[in-house]
Amino acid sequence: MYYSKNKIRNYLRFIIVFTLAIYTSSCNKFLAITPTNAVSDQIAITDSASASNALRGNYRTLADGLSSFYFDVLLSGNDILYTQSSAYSLQFLYHTLTSDNDDLGTIWANEYAVINQANFILSKVPDLQNISDKYKSQILGEAYFLRGIAYFNLARTFGNVQLFLKPTLEVSDKYGVSQSPKDEVLNQVLNDLNDAISLLPDVLNRNRATKKSAIALRSRLFLYLDNWDAAEKDASSVISDSSNYKLVYPYSLFYTSSDNSEIIFEASYSLNYPNGMYSGWKSGGNYRPNDSIISLLNDPEVGGSRKSLLTKSGNTILGNLYPSSNGTDPIPLIRVAELFLIRAEARAHLGNYVGAFSDLNKVRSRADLPNIAVSNNSIIYDYLEKEGRVEFALEPYRWFNLVRTGRAASVLNVSEAFRYLFPIPTSEIQADKSLIQNPGYSSSN
Amino acid sequence: MKNFLLGTFLTFLLLFPYFIKAQNKNEPQLHINSILNGKIIDQRTKLPIEGATIQIKGITHSVLSDKKGEFSFKTGQTLPYTLIISYVGYDTVEVVAEKSPLVVKLNESANQLNDIVVVGYGTQKKIAIVGSIATVKADETKSIPVASLDAQLQGKAAGVQINSQSGTPGEGVRIRVRGSTSINASNDPLYIVDGVFINSNSLANADATTASGKAGPMNLGQKQTSAIADISPSDIESIQVLKDAEATAIYGSRGANGVVIITTKHSNREGKAKVVANVSEGFAKVQKGKLWDVATGEEYATIVNETWINSGIDKPSLSQTEENVPFQRAPDGSWYPGNNTYRGNPSDQQSYTPIRLNQVFRTGSLHSYDLAVLGGSKITNYYVGASYNKQDATIKPADFSRISLKANLKSKISESVSLGLNNLFSRTYRNQLRDGNGPEAGIFQSALQTPTYLPVSDSSGNPLRWASFDNTEVLVNNPAQWTSSLRYIGNVYLDIQLLPNLLFHSSFGIDYNNYRESEYYNTKTLIGSSTQGEAKNNLIHNSSWVNEQTLSFNNTLGDKGNISFLIGNTLQKNQWDANYLAGTGFPSDAYKLISSASNITGGQDESKNSLASFFSRVSYNYDRKYYLEATARADGSSKFGRNHKWGYFPAIGASWVVKNEEFLHDFDGISTLKLRASYGITGNSNGINDYASQGLWTGSASYPNSPSSGDYAGTAPLQLANPDLKWENTAQFNLGVDMGLYNDRINLTLDLYSKLTNNALLNLPVPSSTGYTSQLSNAGRISNKGYELGISTINIKTKDFEWTTNFNISGNYNKILRLETPITFYSRDWLIDAEGHPMYSFWLYKQLYVDSKTGNAVFQTADGKTSYSDTYNPNVTLTNDDRVIMGNAMPDFFGGITNNINYKRFDFNLFVSYQYGNDIINYNRFLGNKQGQAPTFANRFITKDQLNRWTTPGQITDVPRVTSVGNNYLVEQNSRFLEDGSFIRLKSLTIGYTFPESVTTKIKLDKVRFYIQGTNLLLLTKYSGPDPEISVSQGYNGNAPGLDQGTPPQPRSIQFGLNVTF
């Protein structure tokens, strides 16, 4: 009934040898599986095509990180309200931030994700072969521009932050680096924008960095550096290109019409990559304009045609900056109206009140409001503050400008000056002990 | 890989014909030298025993007794020879057969150690078990109406903690064998059905947060469906839970969380087939009185107005006074609840919550039918089962239904070669609810949490929705989410008896799951209203195959020794893939397919892993007194970095059957005594990303080249490489004793264990200035220590009356021994894992008391002082430093008690499960306590407990004065929402009656039993919510239990059933 022991022994030997042989030869192969929806970081940037992929991805990272940051800044500007009950969001509204606020970590992480990715491009692309010098310059210029935006946001939000100009290959690369003072960070932004301006072509593209968009951003930066002369010059150099960049009429056109001349730089969205702010503003969303901004926008003497920013759903008044029903509207990052206000402010500081009022009135008349008569005193700053608030009612403008001009204390009742900066997130201090908390905030939270 | 498969295949191809051929060649040599006829009966009852195995000692040839207990043995052996006769539950006897016919009387085994226990890659007698294994007979639990068999096991197996996550049938179950060992890898045990490693994780994604209109996983609000619910409990024979390292190390890298071995029903009949039919019908209801107490419209308005005025006093700049309270009439006397300025006076307000709850709850019906046919011949045996099960949730429109087919086949192709086939095919379908996180589309939330004063419809009857909630009735009438699962689990195997004591076994098994999830929100719903209808339709596949070979051998060694060994290998591959489709912008609500949508997006995802393993087990026993066993497994996994692909998992165990020693021989009181000890190392890598060790860039980062160009491909960094990523391993020490007293009338099993998990897999936060936020690392050390005690007693046993009791209790103490950075979970960081504390601890601001003078909440602060302040606007800002780790979602101990009583033809079963010492954050109460304070007032419900707020000096209460200023309500993680979740639950009560044979034979049936079963009849708990058990979120990798978000409670149900055998 059973087989002879010899035969069995032979067969067993055969099975064992055979199996082992196969195992040793192919086990490693069996256990090596590469993903099909991602590539190794080793081969992410190897040629012209993969470099442009990485660059587009860098814009996407920037675009995806905007909504949480912008809403928190809008809340800090006190012109919107939060319909949910999370105390973290209310901290922005009430200016009672503690460093354990989760949103801070999100803002921090999003900006550094943009920076790390730009650093990858800036470190890999210079060595690439088979790519034209012209295209190489453009890619590098765009990466400098993106890194500049991110460091600009970090500096004006958190103040002193760590400057990293190389990509992360291992976590240990980024441990123990001390923070650079805010001025140095802003100076790095200036360097990045200068590099971008020298490398970028002077073409028209409203959702990618160009020479003009970098100049526009730099003019905003010069306000923070109190360099009025340079701010005016940069603003003028974009405004003067009026065939490409101008105030659109009516006001609502800048957010209802795609690719319009008002926009200098915007972040693009699509069905697959929807605009996060859209769902925040929509019916049932987490944010709404508050009563004070609603009454200003509805005031024919103040809001003018800008009341189009409001829309009604049932009994509720909603923000209307992203009116399409599928979240594909772009988010403007800098537009012509801001350049007029920048130039007006710079001109006022330079003593050119006529020019300042002229710029202010351009913004006003576009909103169907009467001109304000020229007066040669500092009341212009007050006008600019009020105009900016309404012109950029649903954009993250007011908080940063009131902080920059030192007016947040009197306008927003932020009595403690240290609150002009957000605290460094606790989670980051825990992960990297070398980080130092901003003054005024508790070191561990 | 291909080589390997080919190799294995070729090996069989080469071997197989040889056996067949050899068999044929040998056939003529077989001469029939004797024919023996006999009958096997029960010593006590004298009834025939069917299915007993009759084997001639020394050779494998065996036959089974038939329905009349009779057998016939034709063999080449000449009489007399020795027969070994065995049957489960009876003592095995050796009989010298001298002449035909032969009558053999079997004694019911008095000794528990004779039971056969399923272990890894085989079976053993209980006496030989050196590890810790719990056995549950499926018959005990299969009628509990919770759809999945893992949920049915609650309270049945010591050391196995099981909690259903909601009262909705077929939803996920949280199961922990001897505590939690991992933070970021899975804590679920390994499930094996008839030798096939199955996927026990739902293909639904509990953490899905796909943006509106975007293709991706469907959001069920941190809930999952149960993948185990695909298996019909009616097909299950028994369930074994392997707990200690000795039992689980043979499963190596997958054994650390315990192993659940499910054995389905097989037939060992010869002759006439047996048919078993079960039918049950029933209904389920929630206990309304147990639901949350919600403030009435008037109470609601009073609290909001009071908060308004108090806040105005605390912070005059708010300009909130009695003149402009939110609830008042207009100067002309007009008002409307939905009006932002003139909502009406408090006394004007109505309470609509009861209406909404009525719209949601129903009496659900329960149907269960199953039919099985068992039969076979000497050569082939089969079991075919079919079942249908449908259960309504008590909350509309959720339900669960399952159709299942089971076909098991075993055939002897020759004397020494047999071939078997196990097949399980099922389809489950669920109408689902979104619950948990976020109000959008949450049915229960819309009913419970919509402010009670807001009407359900306008004056002309059109449904209204408020704040961020949907209209309850609209959701109920427009079921929005449904899922279906097609599942095949099966294998084909070959057993070759190479020598009488050498068995070669090979099998190839498949677990295939086709999971479909769909949602459609029409324009009447909140989600659909802003997108003109929104739909998702996702198809997710998971398939895995496993090929295994084992060679097992046993032989005597010396005089009294016996040695057996097992060696084997397995190869396994798992592939998961998903296709996502989403659409928004439908022409009208009549169009429901995505092809009609104006915006369509799609997505695809895929992931694979492979595992190659070698294992062996050596067991030795001497004189049935001393047992020694060693197992080892080597696992190679594709998930880990080149440096750590292979992991090695050894274990050793020993037992001493003290009762078999001479010196205990005369102690009649002790019928069984056995001591066990084991130590071993098992691993875990389940639940982590298949590519976690690799540095990757994602392709999901498209961006346009210009505003009008549309998206072009883009790439972005996804994760950092961790080439050092390796196995999480758990070393476990186990001490156990099995004792039987008075002829095993009292049986006791006690186990003590200590588990230490090293290199715990952890998503370690890294500085996000790196561009990444976390990295999967081996960074933690976690300890679990505990005890398990099971006692079963036969209290009374007479001819007509039998009463047995099973009791079990288990306690587990979990502690995180090393964790560099604490990790928090859930929005608002309610839970924390921190060094020196158990997992699943809560992280709270400890409210010491409410100051009776001011009504302010006084919290404990980090400096050991309090946040006490005399002013109404205390400036003591509390920070994370002031938070305290207190309370824990895991119980101190838990277990169950089962009583079975048989009196004549009646049977009675009472099953109680209990849990003690687990804490719950009553999140619902937290949400229901903060309506006066957000910038938008009154956008959720108020729970009645807030009526106890402080109002007058001298008042003693723990609910602070209502105000939107200061710490009272802005400090959210307040310890006053922490509650004791201990409970005792009368899980089921069954009364059955078996009709007398005189009746059944007349209608040509063998057995007819009728029963009534009640489930969840009684719940004793101090918890203020409706159910202390359902507070389980499956999101955050199961790391956020114990937060009661307002999920439907487990229903009370009554079922009537009929079991028929013929």
Side-chain angles (χ1 to χ4, degrees):
Chain A
M1 216 180 295
Y2 299 102
Y3 321 106
S4 81
K5 283 197 172 160
N6 263 339
K7 268 187 181 160
I8 288 166
R9 204 172 291 143
N10 284 339
Y11 265 91
L12 276 180
R13 194 177 294 154
F14 173 77
I15 295 170
I16 291 165
V17 170
F18 197 86
T19 315
L20 282 179
I22 290 157
Y23 258 105
T24 44
S25 68
S26 58
C27 238
N28 282 336
K29 221 167 127 194
F30 180 68
L31 296 177
I33 295 181
T34 43
T36 43
N37 201 23
V39 301
S40 161
D41 49 4
Q42 311 290 323
I43 54 162
I45 301 175
T46 53
D47 54 13
S48 161
S50 58
S52 50
N53 284 337
L55 182 64
R56 278 189 293 264
N58 206 352
Y59 281 99
R60 177 53 60 209
T61 308
L62 171 82
D64 281 353
L66 288 179
S67 68
S68 54
F69 177 47
Y70 277 16
F71 275 124
D72 288 337
V73 173
L74 278 161
L75 284 170
S76 299
N78 285 186
D79 275 341
I80 69 168
L81 57 79
Y82 177 65
T83 65
Q84 301 298 313
S85 49
S86 158
Y88 286 153
S89 290
L90 298 180
Q91 284 188 349
F92 289 95
L93 197 64
Y94 298 152
H95 309 111
T96 54
L97 277 173
T98 53
S99 63
D100 54 13
N101 190 310
D102 275 357
D103 288 16
L104 295 170
T106 309
I107 298 171
W108 184 276
N110 285 339
E111 299 301 344
Y112 272 111
V114 173
I115 289 163
N116 185 48
Q117 200 169 351
N119 283 337
F120 261 110
I121 295 167
L122 292 171
S123 76
K124 294 261 187 183
V125 170
D127 300 331
L128 293 184
Q129 310 295 317
N130 303 325
I131 174 171
S132 73
D133 284 349
K134 193 174 151 225
Y135 191 44
K136 204 183 252 187
S137 302
Q138 186 189 332
I139 290 176
L140 292 172
E142 291 188 60
Y144 279 120
F145 175 85
L146 292 168
R147 191 171 76 182
I149 289 184
Y151 273 123
F152 195 1
N153 285 338
L154 282 173
R156 57 183 180 158
T157 310
F158 297 102
N160 306 344
V161 298
Q162 294 159 308
L163 277 179
F164 294 120
L165 307 179
K166 291 268 176 288
T168 305
L169 302 174
E170 285 178 41
V171 179
S172 54
D173 295 351
K174 301 290 160 81
Y175 277 125
V177 176
S178 51
Q179 288 144 285
S180 302
K182 184 180 173 184
D183 291 350
E184 258 178 53
V185 181
L186 287 176
N187 204 42
Q188 179 60 43
V189 178
L190 184 59
N191 289 341
D192 281 347
L193 292 179
N194 286 341
D195 285 340
I197 289 163
S198 69
L199 290 164
L200 285 167
D202 192 2
V203 294
L204 178 69
N205 191 341
R206 300 186 201 279
N207 72 347
R208 301 288 291 261
T210 64
K211 197 182 281 291
K212 285 277 162 43
S213 49
I215 291 171
L217 195 64
R218 191 173 66 179
S219 81
R220 182 196 279 171
L221 175 70
F222 280 132
L223 286 192
Y224 285 76
L225 300 175
D226 292 345
N227 190 341
W228 316 119
D229 200 38
E232 199 226 353
K233 232 171 85 200
D234 275 352
S236 296
S237 103
V238 179
I239 291 170
S240 64
D241 183 7
S242 61
S243 57
N244 291 322
Y245 302 104
K246 60 170 186 283
L247 290 169
V248 292
Y249 185 87
Y251 177 81
S252 60
L253 216 56
F254 95 81
Y255 60 86
T256 53
S257 140
S258 68
D259 209 3
N260 66 76
S261 309
E262 170 110 14
I263 305 298
I264 301 165
F265 178 61
E266 68 185 13
S268 288
Y269 297 92
S270 61
L271 289 173
N272 278 311
Y273 300 93
N275 175 344
M277 298 196 83
Y278 157 75
S279 49
W281 286 122
K282 72 174 186 185
S283 171
N286 291 352
Y287 305 92
R288 278 186 236 153
N290 69 7
D291 289 347
S292 53
I293 198 70
I294 288 171
S295 61
L296 287 176
L297 286 168
N298 279 332
D299 185 341
E301 304 294 309
V302 181
S305 56
R306 293 180 291 219
K307 70 166 187 280
S308 65
L309 284 174
L310 303 175
T311 181
K312 227 172 168 190
S313 161
N315 293 312
T316 319
I317 293 171
L318 303 173
N320 194 34
L321 190 57
Y322 309 107
S324 78
S325 68
N326 50 21
T328 56
D329 287 322
I331 294 180
L333 276 88
I334 189 159
R335 55 187 176 93
V336 174
E338 187 182 343
L339 288 187
F340 277 108
L341 295 186
I342 289 170
R343 194 169 71 173
E345 188 176 337
R347 282 176 167 175
H349 281 288
L350 295 168
N352 177 3
Y353 289 103
V354 177
F357 274 98
S358 150
D359 282 344
L360 171 68
N361 284 331
K362 286 207 174 71
V363 173
R364 284 179 63 81
S365 64
R366 191 268 297 263
D368 299 323
L369 291 169
N371 284 350
I372 293 176
V374 180
S375 57
N376 286 341
N377 59 40
S378 57
I379 193 155
I380 178 77
Y381 301 118
D382 195 35
Y383 284 132
L384 286 172
E385 186 177 299
K386 290 194 167 116
E387 204 58 46
R389 178 184 182 187
V390 182
E391 174 69 25
F392 299 99
L394 303 184
E395 291 160 81
Y397 177 90
R398 190 175 184 223
W399 166 254
F400 283 134
N401 271 279
L402 291 175
V403 166
R404 177 176 60 80
T405 55
R407 296 263 303 144
S410 48
V411 180
L412 300 176
N413 291 318
V414 185
S415 47
E416 298 158 310
F418 73 85
R419 297 200 176 274
Y420 284 14
L421 289 176
F422 294 172
I424 310 286
T426 310
S427 51
E428 294 305 314
I429 296 177
Q430 278 174 347
D432 184 354
K433 307 275 189 296
S434 63
L435 281 171
I436 296 166
Q437 185 53 279
N438 283 334
Y441 292 102
S442 152
S443 62
S444 63
N445 53 60
Chain B
M1 180 53 229
K2 233 183 222 164
N3 286 348
F4 182 80
L5 274 184
L6 192 69
T8 316
F9 181 67
L10 279 177
T11 313
F12 287 128
L13 218 60
L14 283 169
L15 280 172
F16 199 65
Y18 176 80
F19 286 120
I20 304 292
K21 215 171 119 204
Q23 216 53 60
N24 292 338
K25 202 171 71 192
N26 282 348
E27 208 67 57
Q29 294 170 0
L30 183 74
H31 301 291
I32 295 172
N33 289 326
S34 66
I35 298 174
L36 175 72
N37 293 317
K39 187 172 184 180
I40 314 287
I41 60 169
D42 183 301
Q43 168 82 32
R44 192 170 61 91
T45 63
K46 310 286 185 266
L47 289 172
I49 293 173
E50 177 195 359
T53 306
I54 299 104
Q55 184 184 3
I56 297 176
K57 194 174 183 179
I59 64 170
T60 53
H61 186 190
S62 68
V63 295
L64 296 173
S65 57
D66 66 13
K67 219 179 114 192
K68 292 176 186 157
E70 289 169 354
F71 68 93
S72 174
F73 219 130
K74 292 171 192 163
T75 158
Q77 308 271 327
T78 46
L79 291 166
Y81 48 73
T82 307
L83 286 176
I84 302 170
I85 296 140
S86 58
Y87 185 61
V88 179
Y90 287 79
D91 290 336
T92 299
V93 294
E94 289 190 13
V95 180
V96 179
E98 285 169 346
K99 61 177 178 29
S100 192
L102 177 78
V103 176
V104 182
K105 296 169 185 167
L106 289 187
N107 272 316
E108 234 178 335
S109 32
N111 197 309
Q112 47 159 327
L113 296 183
N114 283 335
D115 292 351
I116 300 291
V117 177
V118 178
V119 299
Y121 302 102
T123 57
Q124 286 180 346
K125 270 198 173 170
K126 197 171 175 193
I127 192 170
I129 301 283
V130 299
S132 175
I133 297 175
T135 301
V136 181
K137 295 273 172 228
D139 276 350
E140 292 176 21
T141 55
K142 68 176 186 190
S143 53
I144 297 174
V146 286
S148 73
L149 63 99
D150 47 356
Q152 291 172 337
L153 291 181
Q154 187 191 44
K156 290 288 184 185
V160 186
Q161 195 208 345
I162 295 162
N163 289 115
S164 297
Q165 60 170 239
S166 85
T168 308
E171 267 193 5
V173 170
R174 184 186 179 87
I175 179 163
R176 292 285 186 275
V177 178
R178 294 189 164 177
S180 299
T181 60
S182 186
I183 296 173
N184 285 113
S186 167
N187 277 302
D188 291 333
L190 169 67
Y191 287 82
I192 299 169
V193 177
D194 291 335
V196 184
F197 295 8
I198 64 157
N199 169 41
S200 62
N201 297 318
S202 168
L203 299 183
N205 183 337
D207 286 317
T209 50
T210 312
S212 171
K214 191 176 170 174
M218 188 166 101
N219 180 354
L220 284 165
Q222 286 161 352
K223 297 283 168 179
Q224 275 185 333
T225 52
S226 164
I228 300 296
D230 289 340
I231 301 167
S232 171
S234 61
D235 293 323
I236 307 301
E237 179 70 39
S238 73
I239 296 162
Q240 329 269 333
V241 184
L242 315 188
K243 297 185 288 195
D244 75 333
E246 218 298 312
T248 59
I250 195 114
Y251 294 109
S253 68
R254 315 180 62 177
N257 300 325
V259 179
V260 179
I261 300 184
I262 296 163
T263 310
T264 62
K265 286 180 178 159
H266 287 78
S267 159
N268 49 11
R269 294 176 66 90
E270 277 179 33
K272 184 174 165 280
K274 180 165 107 175
V275 180
V276 181
N278 298 300
V279 179
S280 92
E281 292 282 341
F283 54 88
K285 253 180 123 153
V286 290
Q287 293 159 268
K288 285 254 176 67
K290 282 274 183 186
L291 292 170
W292 283 273
D293 279 333
V294 177
T296 65
E298 184 172 358
E299 291 162 348
Y300 190 106
T302 308
I303 286 179
V304 170
N305 279 357
E306 192 177 314
T307 313
W308 179 272
I309 296 163
N310 286 348
S311 311
I313 295 167
D314 295 348
K315 191 175 179 186
S317 64
L318 290 173
S319 316
Q320 293 180 186
T321 63
E322 197 143 354
E323 274 66 59
N324 56 9
V325 288
F327 284 91
Q328 61 172 307
R329 293 188 183 187
D332 64 1
S334 65
W335 60 277
Y336 177 63
N339 187 305
N340 274 339
T341 325
Y342 300 113
R343 294 175 170 90
N345 294 329
S347 57
D348 296 329
Q349 304 307 319
Q350 304 292 306
S351 307
Y352 294 98
T353 303
I355 301 176
R356 291 193 175 92
L357 287 174
N358 269 333
Q359 289 170 340
V360 150
F361 285 109
R362 67 173 164 198
T363 300
S365 61
L366 311 169
H367 316 274
S368 173
Y369 316 107
D370 58 76
L371 184 73
V373 184
L374 298 86
S377 63
K378 280 190 175 60
I379 293 173
T380 304
N381 292 97
Y382 61 88
Y383 169 91
V384 177
S387 71
Y388 173 74
N389 187 299
K390 180 160 194 298
Q391 305 183 18
D392 290 337
T394 48
I395 204 164
K396 283 184 266 188
D399 61 18
F400 168 86
S401 66
R402 173 183 57 224
I403 300 172
S404 155
L405 267 177
K406 180 86 181 115
N408 290 346
L409 195 73
K410 185 170 179 170
S411 184
K412 281 195 162 179
I413 357 181
S414 78
E415 203 64 35
S416 58
V417 180
S418 57
L419 186 72
L421 195 62
N422 296 311
N423 294 290
L424 187 157
F425 182 82
S426 74
R427 177 179 189 267
T428 55
Y429 183 89
R430 295 166 173 91
N431 275 305
Q432 302 248 99
L433 302 170
R434 184 191 283 192
D435 43 19
N437 211 5
E440 265 187 347
I443 292 183
F444 192 59
Q445 281 80 349
S446 76
L448 182 71
Q449 298 187 357
T450 303
T452 192
Y453 70 96
L454 293 166
V456 294
S457 55
D458 64 14
S459 50
S460 43
N462 298 315
L464 289 171
R465 63 166 180 267
W466 299 100
S468 39
F469 294 101
D470 266 293
N471 179 280
T472 309
E473 206 177 7
V474 165
L475 285 187
V476 164
N477 294 334
N478 297 278
Q481 295 188 308
W482 59 97
T483 59
S484 70
S485 168
L486 286 173
R487 187 82 179 258
Y488 173 81
I489 298 171
N491 65 348
V492 50
Y493 61 92
L494 186 71
D495 284 336
I496 305 170
Q497 196 79 44
L498 295 167
L499 290 170
N501 51 5
L502 182 64
L503 178 74
F504 176 76
H505 168 88
S506 176
S507 93
F508 186 87
I510 288 174
D511 175 13
Y512 173 80
N513 192 357
N514 170 314
Y515 187 81
R516 185 168 158 198
E517 53 182 25
S518 289
E519 62 182 10
Y520 177 76
Y521 290 102
N522 66 23
T523 56
K524 296 190 188 80
T525 65
L526 192 57
I527 291 177
S529 67
S530 57
T531 49
Q532 272 88 57
E534 182 171 329
K536 277 191 177 49
N537 195 307
N538 302 331
L539 194 56
I540 304 160
H541 288 111
N542 191 78
S543 59
S544 66
W545 57 256
V546 55
N547 165 255
E548 84 183 28
Q549 276 71 238
T550 61
L551 200 59
S552 49
F553 169 85
N554 80 76
N555 205 2
T556 52
L557 196 70
D559 245 5
K560 295 173 168 176
N562 188 291
I563 190 159
S564 63
F565 74 77
L566 168 90
I567 57 167
N569 77 286
T570 67
L571 281 178
Q572 189 171 347
K573 198 159 193 173
N574 192 82
Q575 174 169 343
W576 170 91
D577 60 72
N579 293 301
Y580 303 118
L581 199 58
T584 59
F586 286 83
S588 79
D589 287 349
Y591 294 86
K592 292 185 166 61
L593 297 190
I594 291 174
S595 49
S596 325
S598 59
N599 305 313
I600 299 174
T601 59
Q604 188 191 2
D605 207 350
E606 184 185 73
S607 189
K608 291 177 197 167
N609 66 64
S610 56
L611 190 73
S613 317
F614 301 93
F615 52 88
S616 80
R617 173 168 58 217
V618 181
S619 316
Y620 173 75
N621 87 68
Y622 181 76
D623 203 16
R624 286 168 55 95
K625 287 178 193 162
Y626 313 107
Y627 288 82
L628 192 67
E629 190 167 286
T631 61
R633 183 167 175 130
D635 273 335
S637 165
S638 65
K639 288 181 183 178
F640 293 106
R642 188 166 286 277
N643 310 339
H644 299 285
K645 275 232 181 307
W646 287 86
Y648 304 94
F649 308 97
I652 187 157
S655 72
W656 177 24
V657 184
V658 189
K659 177 62 191 172
N660 287 355
E661 296 285 355
E662 285 301 313
F663 60 82
L664 267 186
H665 196 263
D666 297 330
F667 279 82
D668 284 344
I670 300 174
S671 46
T672 309
L673 183 62
K674 180 179 161 191
L675 305 176
R676 292 178 277 112
S678 74
Y679 177 80
I681 294 167
T682 49
N684 183 21
S685 66
N686 219 9
I688 66 166
N689 187 305
D690 286 342
Y691 309 119
S693 66
Q694 307 182 22
L696 295 175
W697 278 52
T698 172
S700 300
S702 306
Y703 192 84
N705 286 331
S706 71
S708 54
S709 76
D711 283 339
Y712 277 76
T715 59
L718 181 66
Q719 68 184 26
L720 269 172
N722 184 355
D724 294 324
L725 195 69
K726 61 184 172 199
W727 305 90
E728 167 177 304
N729 63 61
T730 299
Q732 185 175 184
F733 183 67
N734 190 82
L735 271 180
V737 57
D738 299 309
M739 193 153 95
L741 300 173
Y742 310 111
N743 239 356
D744 284 0
R745 285 283 288 264
I746 300 171
N747 279 320
L748 181 150
T749 297
L750 175 70
D751 278 280
L752 304 173
Y753 63 87
S754 170
K755 284 167 99 173
L756 182 66
T757 303
N758 272 311
N759 299 321
L761 289 163
L762 204 64
N763 277 321
L764 205 63
V766 299
S768 43
S769 53
T770 57
Y772 307 88
T773 53
S774 68
Q775 185 184 36
L776 193 68
S777 317
N778 298 94
R781 179 181 297 161
I782 296 162
S783 140
N784 284 281
K785 290 177 182 170
Y787 62 87
E788 297 159 357
L789 173 66
I791 301 172
S792 61
T793 56
I794 302 168
N795 306 324
I796 297 174
K797 191 172 183 179
T798 66
K799 189 167 158 286
D800 285 338
F801 189 79
E802 183 174 324
W803 174 26
T804 61
T805 303
N806 286 301
F807 167 80
N808 72 73
I809 182 167
S810 320
N812 183 70
Y813 303 96
N814 177 286
K815 193 173 178 182
I816 300 172
L817 300 181
R818 203 183 72 210
L819 186 61
E820 274 175 40
T821 315
I823 303 177
T824 58
F825 301 99
Y826 215 75
S827 68
R828 299 175 171 94
D829 306 327
W830 284 92
L831 289 113
I832 192 166
D833 279 352
E835 195 166 293
H837 296 273
M839 291 169 69
Y840 319 129
S841 292
F842 297 105
W843 194 32
L844 308 171
Y845 293 98
K846 188 170 184 182
Q847 181 184 300
L848 298 170
Y849 55 92
V850 168
D851 180 41
S852 68
K853 269 189 292 185
T854 60
N856 283 337
V858 178
F859 293 93
Q860 181 178 310
T861 55
D863 53 13
K865 296 180 189 152
T866 63
S867 66
Y868 178 79
S869 173
D870 254 345
T871 64
Y872 273 125
N873 187 5
N875 280 323
V876 184
T877 307
L878 292 170
T879 66
N880 272 347
D881 281 351
D882 302 312
R883 285 168 89 164
V884 182
I885 296 176
M886 58 188 292
N888 187 282
M890 291 297 106
D892 296 338
F893 61 84
F894 59 90
I897 310 165
T898 311
N899 276 292
N900 279 305
I901 295 171
N902 287 304
Y903 175 68
K904 290 188 175 168
R905 305 199 162 275
F906 288 94
D907 58 88
F908 175 86
N909 173 291
L910 184 138
F911 171 40
V912 171
S913 72
Y914 63 91
Q915 192 165 306
Y916 179 84
N918 58 307
D919 297 308
I920 297 175
I921 286 292
N922 193 334
Y923 198 86
N924 242 339
R925 196 152 67 78
F926 155 72
L927 291 175
N929 263 217
K930 51 187 299 171
Q931 288 325 304
Q933 52 121 341
T936 50
F937 279 87
N939 63 7
R940 271 188 210 255
F941 69 145
I942 290 180
T943 45
K944 221 154 191 157
D945 61 294
Q946 208 183 10
L947 297 177
N948 297 326
R949 75 219 177 269
W950 183 95
T951 50
T952 41
Q955 186 182 348
I956 307 291
T957 175
D958 71 333
V959 185
R961 171 174 171 271
V962 289
T963 172
S964 66
V965 180
N967 291 336
N968 284 8
Y969 290 91
L970 283 182
V971 171
E972 298 190 308
Q973 300 84 353
N974 188 330
S975 63
R976 73 188 174 95
F977 301 115
L978 187 71
E979 296 188 31
D980 182 359
S982 306
F983 67 86
I984 301 176
R985 190 192 286 279
L986 175 50
K987 191 85 191 166
S988 74
L989 178 70
T990 314
I991 299 167
Y993 176 76
T994 307
F995 289 90
E997 263 176 65
S998 54
V999 175
T1000 48
T1001 44
K1002 267 183 208 153
I1003 44 174
K1004 304 221 159 116
L1005 298 174
D1006 288 346
K1007 189 185 168 193
V1008 180
R1009 174 176 171 264
F1010 173 79
Y1011 69 90
I1012 301 176
Q1013 180 175 43
T1015 313
N1016 297 328
L1017 296 175
L1018 193 67
L1019 174 66
L1020 301 176
T1021 180
K1022 280 193 278 183
Y1023 180 60
S1024 68
D1027 195 325
E1029 203 187 332
I1030 46 83
S1031 50
V1032 180
S1033 148
Q1034 285 199 329
Y1036 305 89
N1037 206 28
N1039 278 309
L1043 276 167
D1044 186 356
Q1045 276 264 20
T1047 42
Q1050 296 196 33
R1052 178 184 279 180
S1053 62
I1054 305 287
Q1055 286 166 281
F1056 304 90
L1058 198 62
N1059 312 127
V1060 179
T1061 310
F1062 55 90

